[in-house]
Amino acid sequence: MTFWSVAIVGLFLPLFPFSMLFNMLLRHFESPLLRASLILAWPQLGVLLLSLMQGGPPGWAVVWAVSTSALYALRVVAVRDVFVWTSFLATSSLALLWVSAAGNTDHMMLAIYALAFSLPLVLLVFLADGLKQRYGGTYAGAVNSLAFALPRMSSLVVLVVLAVIATPVFPGFAVLLSMVTTTVSVFQEAALIVLAIWFAWSWAAARLLQALLVGDSEQQHVEDFSPLATGLYGIALAALLVLGIWLIGVLR
């Protein structure tokens, strides 16, 4: 792959600074449906373009991708707005798909890896929209005490955030585990950086959830998720767990 081939694919499997286009579009769209569609479709276009290119990603492209992922992982630690947090976490995770591509993963499996990262982010987009409808914003800290005010929604937020940061046995866990095990023998530094990025995601999640779930400010009365809506999210999370278990079985 030439530099320009990598740059074109890097618009969709985001590489900095081309990643700014992806984040700009996510912020521009107000509709959660459009945001979710972008998170699902954008990396799939990248995988499609990658399948049309001759040869796998060169080593310098993997370094570029891991550096991009690390940059956004550090940025997400300091972010408190749930929409922006989702956008930066999406960029950080999707950039790591270059590591899998360099490990000679077939493109069909790479598309599944992209879905493993994208699907939990889609759920978080809709949860963030639920927060916006109830509180008029999604800034963690200004929106707080969810564990007391919205017990059903807060439980879903916790579970979805855990899925987003690739907690076992959600799908992202299998993908990251595969990245680490396939790169440690040929590119040990990249494997260590992937582990550090994973740690940064966990740190960012802990800070976000702490700000959202606890607090002592007076909150207006808002309506929690209905049992039906909670059940639908529960089914989606159960499907993610099944996908994660299947991926672990395939990749072990």
Side-chain angles (χ1 to χ4, degrees):
M1 292 180 69
T2 66
F3 171 82
W4 292 112
S5 298
V6 171
I8 291 170
V9 178
L11 283 170
F12 301 97
L13 300 180
L15 297 174
F16 184 82
F18 309 117
S19 54
M20 291 190 288
L21 175 61
F22 175 64
N23 285 278
M24 181 185 71
L25 289 173
L26 276 178
R27 294 190 194 185
H28 175 74
F29 293 144
E30 291 292 332
S31 166
L33 185 59
L34 288 177
R35 283 175 168 164
S37 299
L38 185 68
I39 290 173
L40 285 173
W42 197 258
Q44 298 299 331
L45 290 173
V47 173
L48 177 61
L49 288 173
L50 196 60
S51 69
L52 299 176
M53 302 291 180
Q54 292 185 345
W60 56 265
V62 176
V63 173
W64 190 358
V66 171
S67 300
T68 297
S69 181
L71 171 65
Y72 280 92
L74 290 175
R75 294 184 70 184
V76 81
V77 171
V79 168
R80 288 294 174 271
D81 185 280
V82 181
F83 278 131
V84 179
W85 195 94
T86 304
S87 174
F88 286 175
L89 206 294
T91 306
S92 181
S93 58
L94 295 176
L96 288 179
L97 292 173
W98 287 91
V99 177
S100 293
N104 297 319
T105 299
D106 67 87
H107 294 101
M108 180 62 71
M109 187 58 69
L110 195 61
I112 295 174
Y113 286 2
L115 282 176
F117 283 138
S118 297
L119 289 173
L121 290 162
V122 165
L123 294 180
L124 190 56
V125 164
F126 285 108
L127 286 174
D129 185 68
L131 286 176
K132 185 176 180 180
Q133 291 178 10
R134 287 163 173 78
Y135 292 101
T138 58
Y139 189 85
V143 177
N144 60 25
S145 303
L146 290 188
F148 305 101
L150 304 172
R152 292 195 191 106
M153 188 176 189
S154 63
S155 299
L156 292 173
V157 168
V158 171
L159 291 173
V160 169
V161 168
L162 290 177
V164 165
I165 64 170
T167 304
V169 287
F170 286 107
F173 169 75
V175 177
L176 287 182
L177 194 61
S178 172
M179 288 179 188
V180 172
T181 55
T182 55
T183 59
V184 70
S185 58
V186 294
F187 197 173
Q188 186 174 3
E189 292 80 3
L192 292 174
I193 295 173
V194 170
L195 288 174
I197 290 167
W198 202 351
F199 172 78
W201 293 355
S202 301
W203 183 17
R207 288 169 58 87
L208 180 74
L209 291 177
Q210 181 184 29
L212 282 174
L213 298 180
V214 301
D216 54 5
S217 63
E218 291 289 332
Q219 296 281 0
Q220 72 233 17
H221 177 71
V222 290
E223 185 178 356
D224 201 356
F225 273 2
S226 67
L228 175 60
T230 305
L232 290 174
Y233 275 99
I235 292 171
L237 286 165
L240 286 177
L241 288 173
V242 171
L243 176 60
I245 294 169
W246 176 79
L247 278 174
I248 291 172
V250 168
L251 299 175
R252 67 187 176 93

